[in-house]
Amino acid sequence: MSLHAAAAPAVDAHGRPARFRAVFEREFDYVWTSLRRLGVQARDAEDVAQDVFVHVYRRLDDYDPARPLRPWLFAFAFRCASDWRRLARHRVEVGDDPDRRAGSSLAADDAIARTEDRALVLRALERVELERRGVFILYELDECPMKEIAETLGIPLFTAYSRLRVARQEFTAAVRVLRAERGER
């Protein structure tokens, strides 16, 4: 063994730092968006996303690359969003802070409409109970198969279907109420 090799710091045999960096760079926006959909305010979403990735880094060796990555990440986001919501300082409802991440070259009217629609969806999602919201987001927005959702969230398959059914009802009702409040049909 050479002196140089003995002096070198221990290297993660599985290449965890490089794998983590690739996951972080590729999936940060997905995690950030998932957190917003789970009710984390925009002002806190980046901090909570960092917490998510701290947990991801610690558990990266547990990830099975034969399975899709996003549902696995969503499970971390779901738990971190749940923790965030339990904090007393977050129980006071604050005004909407539209996502500033999605820039586009749409006409001003189209951009405003998209921002309003995005805010409507986020507000409607906030009215869906968190456990049902997680299933709804994974199935309807992230287009994950229900079996995978049940496994990711650690719930029975039929419970996942039941939560989806109720979440759809809650979401639809919330959209109707919010549109009525805005004077829309």
Side-chain angles (χ1 to χ4, degrees), residues 33-40 74 85 96 99 117-138 140-142 164 167-168 170-175 178:
T33 300
S34 294
L35 290 168
R36 290 290 288 132
R37 291 172 174 168
L38 290 166
V40 175
F74 186 87
R85 292 172 60 82
D96 288 336
D99 295 346
D117 288 345
R118 187 176 296 115
L120 176 73
V121 167
L122 289 175
R123 289 182 63 211
L125 282 171
E126 287 176 357
R127 296 183 181 198
V128 175
E129 191 271 328
L130 189 60
E131 287 182 343
R132 291 187 291 270
R133 187 184 326 166
V135 174
F136 182 85
I137 290 169
L138 281 168
E140 297 292 350
L141 303 178
D142 292 346
L164 177 62
R168 284 174 171 163
E170 290 175 339
F171 181 79
T172 301
V175 168
L178 292 168

Side-chain angles (χ1 to χ4, degrees), residues 29 31 89 98-99 103 108:
D29 287 342
V31 168
R89 66 185 174 150
D99 295 346

Side-chain angles (χ1 to χ4, degrees), residues 67-147:
R67 300 187 58 152
L69 178 64
R70 286 188 170 183
W72 187 73
L73 292 172
F74 186 87
F76 288 103
F78 184 84
R79 285 188 290 278
C80 287
S82 295
D83 292 345
W84 178 87
R85 292 172 60 82
R86 278 190 218 114
L87 295 174
R89 66 185 174 150
H90 299 297
R91 292 198 178 134
V92 176
E93 189 172 321
V94 296
D96 288 336
D97 184 7
D99 295 346
R100 305 256 189 256
R101 290 185 168 282
S104 70
S105 61
L106 298 175
D109 290 344
D110 291 339
I112 290 170
R114 287 188 75 193
T115 299
E116 288 174 356
D117 288 345
R118 187 176 296 115
L120 176 73
V121 167
L122 289 175
R123 289 182 63 211
L125 282 171
E126 287 176 357
R127 296 183 181 198
V128 175
E129 191 271 328
L130 189 60
E131 287 182 343
R132 291 187 291 270
R133 187 184 326 166
V135 174
F136 182 85
I137 290 169
L138 281 168
Y139 188 82
E140 297 292 350
L141 303 178
D142 292 346
E143 300 177 345
C144 290
M146 190 57 76
K147 183 178 179 192

